[in-house]
Amino acid sequence: MEANIESKFKAAVSVDNVVFGFDNNDLKVLLIYRGAEPYKDCWALPGDLISLDQDLEQSAENVLQNLTGLDNIYMDQIHTFGRVDRHPFGRVFTVAYFALIKIQDYMVKPSSWAEEAAWFPINEVPELPFDHMEILEYAKDLLKNKIRHQPIGFELLPKYFTLTEIQSLYEAILETQFDTRNFRKKLLSMNLIVDTGRQQKEVAHRPAKLYKYITKRYAQLQQIGFSFDL
Amino acid sequence: MEANIESKFKAAVSVDNVVFGFDNNDLKVLLIYRGAEPYKDCWALPGDLISLDQDLEQSAENVLQNLTGLDNIYMDQIHTFGRVDRHPFGRVFTVAYFALIKIQDYMVKPSSWAEEAAWFPINEVPELPFDHMEILEYAKDLLKNKIRHQPIGFELLPKYFTLTEIQSLYEAILETQFDTRNFRKKLLSMNLIVDTGRQQKEVAHRPAKLYKYITKRYAQLQQIGFSFDL
DNA sequence: CCAAAAGTGTTTAAATTACACCCATGG
DNA sequence: CCATGGGTGTAATTTAAACACTTTTGG
């Protein structure tokens, strides 16, 4: 046990990010094309070994920023994966994070050893190296659960959105259908979103009203015992 | 980045377990008295550095088994903590787990460098070293959430239990009160527990019926879309 | 017969479900 | 004027909440 404490300080830790976006009625995930070993020339989750002189949370943000240019993003720790043989270079534990972004608002720019960065529809993800597929599955499950109990869906939509958009987002993620009238009734009754008075433009049908999410409201409601549920 | 890959393989990883039990209407947590540096002679969560030749999940079980004698326990990963300065010996990431046990069924035996192991009521926990207090708070929150959405409360009760016992367990953890009739109605309507025909004995009042939890039933119900909620 | 906890049913209010038609715009 | 998606209300059912007294046992 105590005998060889040095032997225990030989692990590395990495961060792997599962970044979700929503576009054209599809849930998408951000992958990078690896330009470095191991698994050079593969699509993979944006992840990297972290340096040991900064806090874990900070590292998670840095890794993402460094590989994709994304900064100041909603991120949440998911789970830590630690199979002995998961990395060919040695013992590497990886802490997985998930992030939600408004695809339209960010230009993703690959940098460092990420040669490309691209959005893949969640059902058209190529084979992934390491245990990245397992991580992705874990993240999808978490997203499904989380989106029903916390108002995080709005992180995936543009600032102004229609009720139809948010409904199809929920339908895409949860893989179900909702009744339009009941869905709207319930969502609006929570008072988390408001009609901005704006409308869609240049659509070949009746233009939809544009709503926005009121961030502050959720915190207020939570304090009086409200719990989000869809 | 790539320059100094060796410098990244100098971290250690530990596991810290938050083991909950329920006894005498109190939620309790298992602590050990540390007989080794750092923080020798302190009460702390049962945790230890892990050796790098086994999988993470396996290590979690081993650490607990090794320090407390507990084996074959319901365990779940909670979160990974990685502040730079959280451990005086170097960069140590800790993966926290939580476990639920039937206090009555296990004799906790301190071993290895754990000099003692004892149950503390959740509101009478002494000062804890490292970031163990933060971990404990995190675990408590998770327990509160989880117990409402998954039938894990039964892990804390003896095999045969009364309806009053399970109600007070829920009340202790969630820090609320439930109406007896409504609580029973709802719980029984889920068909997850059954009357065993047995009764309490030698109590100075009307003896309560003893129920047991049907493990299989939950899996069956989940498949037809049932979701536990209390 | 007293104390202590177990056990049980009904009424009211709230939330959820099911369901079908008219509206506004661009082409 | 046609095609396309946007927008709305009501009735029926289910679920949750409120609430008080009787039963069984040991001492």
Side-chain angles (χ1 to χ4, degrees):
Chain A
M1 284 303 107
E2 275 307 339
N4 47 353
I5 200 166
E6 295 83 8
S7 76
K8 294 180 178 172
F9 278 84
K10 291 187 171 159
V13 174
S14 65
V15 161
D16 284 306
N17 297 296
V18 181
V19 185
F20 289 111
F22 184 73
D23 197 22
N24 286 121
N25 283 357
D26 270 330
L27 182 66
K28 296 185 174 170
V29 63
L30 183 65
L31 301 179
I32 59 164
Y33 197 77
R34 293 178 63 94
E37 293 295 346
Y39 298 106
K40 191 170 184 302
D41 302 318
C42 284
W43 288 101
L45 295 176
D48 203 356
L49 297 180
I50 67 183
S51 49
L52 299 180
D53 54 6
Q54 50 188 355
D55 290 346
L56 177 58
E57 299 294 315
Q58 186 59 50
S59 302
E61 290 171 28
N62 292 158
V63 167
L64 189 60
Q65 150 83 38
N66 187 41
L67 293 171
T68 65
L70 295 172
D71 200 7
N72 204 247
I73 294 285
Y74 172 99
M75 284 180 81
D76 235 355
Q77 196 187 112
I78 308 178
H79 195 81
T80 296
F81 296 81
R83 276 218 325 274
V84 166
D85 59 358
R86 60 173 299 287
H87 197 294
F89 285 5
R91 188 67 197 267
V92 180
F93 294 83
T94 197
V95 186
Y97 282 78
F98 99 169
L100 301 179
I101 84 163
K102 305 180 199 298
I103 281 190
Q104 303 81 356
D105 291 7
Y106 292 92
M107 261 306 278
V108 175
K109 288 183 200 133
S111 60
S112 180
W113 49 265
E115 292 187 354
E116 293 184 62
W119 291 100
F120 289 74
I122 199 71
N123 294 318
E124 300 170 25
V125 169
E127 267 197 48
L128 299 178
F130 305 102
D131 45 9
H132 282 191
M133 202 47 102
E134 190 185 344
I135 296 174
L136 179 57
E137 289 300 322
Y138 204 101
K140 277 162 63 180
D141 283 346
L142 193 77
L143 177 60
K144 281 192 192 185
N145 276 301
K146 204 153 179 160
I147 204 166
R148 296 189 41 218
H149 302 297
Q150 285 175 246
I152 55 173
F154 307 103
E155 301 290 336
L156 292 165
L157 292 176
K159 182 168 178 189
Y160 301 107
F161 53 85
T162 70
L163 295 178
T164 304
E165 282 168 347
I166 184 140
Q167 184 175 342
S168 25
L169 181 145
Y170 270 84
E171 290 179 340
I173 294 176
L174 297 175
E175 301 173 286
T176 27
Q177 298 279 102
F178 290 94
D179 175 88
T180 311
R181 282 169 291 188
N182 294 337
F183 183 87
R184 289 171 178 222
K185 219 183 306 170
K186 190 159 178 187
L187 182 57
L188 290 171
S189 75
M190 293 179 182
N191 292 314
L192 290 169
I193 64 177
V194 291
D195 184 348
T196 60
R198 302 176 191 227
Q199 291 198 331
Q200 278 182 317
K201 281 184 181 148
E202 295 164 21
V203 287
H205 54 78
R206 177 172 175 178
K209 294 178 180 174
L210 292 170
Y211 289 78
K212 67 175 177 183
Y213 174 63
I214 313 290
T215 314
K216 299 173 196 169
R217 201 63 64 82
Y218 180 56
Q220 293 166 358
L221 288 172
Q222 267 188 309
Q223 291 184 330
I224 52 173
F226 166 83
S227 76
F228 184 90
D229 202 350
L230 259 180
Chain B
M1 283 304 105
E2 276 306 340
N4 47 353
I5 200 166
E6 295 84 6
S7 76
K8 294 180 177 171
F9 278 83
K10 290 188 172 160
V13 174
S14 65
V15 161
D16 284 307
N17 297 295
V18 181
V19 185
F20 290 111
F22 185 73
D23 197 21
N24 285 122
N25 284 358
D26 271 329
L27 182 65
K28 296 185 175 169
V29 63
L30 183 65
L31 301 178
I32 58 162
Y33 197 77
R34 292 178 63 93
E37 294 295 346
Y39 299 107
K40 193 170 184 301
D41 303 319
C42 283
W43 287 101
L45 295 176
D48 203 354
L49 297 178
I50 67 183
S51 48
L52 300 180
D53 54 7
Q54 51 189 354
D55 291 347
L56 177 58
E57 299 293 316
Q58 187 58 48
S59 300
E61 290 171 28
N62 291 157
V63 167
L64 188 62
Q65 151 84 39
N66 188 40
L67 292 171
T68 66
L70 294 172
D71 200 6
N72 205 245
I73 295 284
Y74 173 98
M75 284 179 82
D76 237 357
Q77 197 187 111
I78 308 178
H79 194 81
T80 295
F81 295 82
R83 276 218 323 277
V84 167
D85 60 357
R86 60 173 297 286
H87 197 292
F89 285 5
R91 188 67 197 269
V92 179
F93 295 83
T94 196
V95 186
Y97 281 79
F98 99 171
L100 301 179
I101 83 163
K102 306 180 198 298
I103 282 190
Q104 303 81 355
D105 291 6
Y106 293 92
M107 262 306 278
V108 175
K109 289 184 201 134
S111 60
S112 179
W113 49 265
E115 291 188 354
E116 292 184 62
W119 292 100
F120 288 75
I122 200 71
N123 294 318
E124 299 169 26
V125 168
E127 266 197 49
L128 299 178
F130 306 101
D131 45 9
H132 283 190
M133 202 48 101
E134 190 185 344
I135 296 173
L136 179 57
E137 290 300 323
Y138 204 100
K140 275 162 63 179
D141 283 346
L142 192 76
L143 177 60
K144 280 193 193 185
N145 276 303
K146 203 153 178 160
I147 204 167
R148 295 189 41 220
H149 303 296
Q150 287 175 245
I152 56 173
F154 307 103
E155 301 290 337
L156 292 164
L157 292 176
K159 182 167 177 190
Y160 301 106
F161 54 85
T162 69
L163 295 178
T164 304
E165 282 168 348
I166 184 140
Q167 184 174 342
S168 27
L169 181 146
Y170 270 84
E171 290 179 339
I173 293 176
L174 298 175
E175 300 173 287
T176 28
Q177 298 279 104
F178 291 94
D179 175 86
T180 311
R181 283 167 291 186
N182 293 338
F183 184 87
R184 288 170 178 223
K185 222 181 303 171
K186 190 160 179 186
L187 183 57
L188 290 171
S189 74
M190 294 179 181
N191 291 315
L192 289 169
I193 64 177
V194 291
D195 184 347
T196 60
R198 301 176 192 227
Q199 291 200 330
Q200 279 182 316
K201 283 189 177 143
E202 295 163 21
V203 286
H205 55 77
R206 177 172 175 177
K209 294 178 180 175
L210 292 170
Y211 289 78
K212 69 176 178 183
Y213 173 64
I214 313 290
T215 314
K216 299 174 197 169
R217 202 65 63 82
Y218 180 55
Q220 293 167 358
L221 289 171
Q222 267 189 308
Q223 292 184 329
I224 51 173
F226 166 83
S227 76
F228 185 89
D229 202 349
L230 259 181

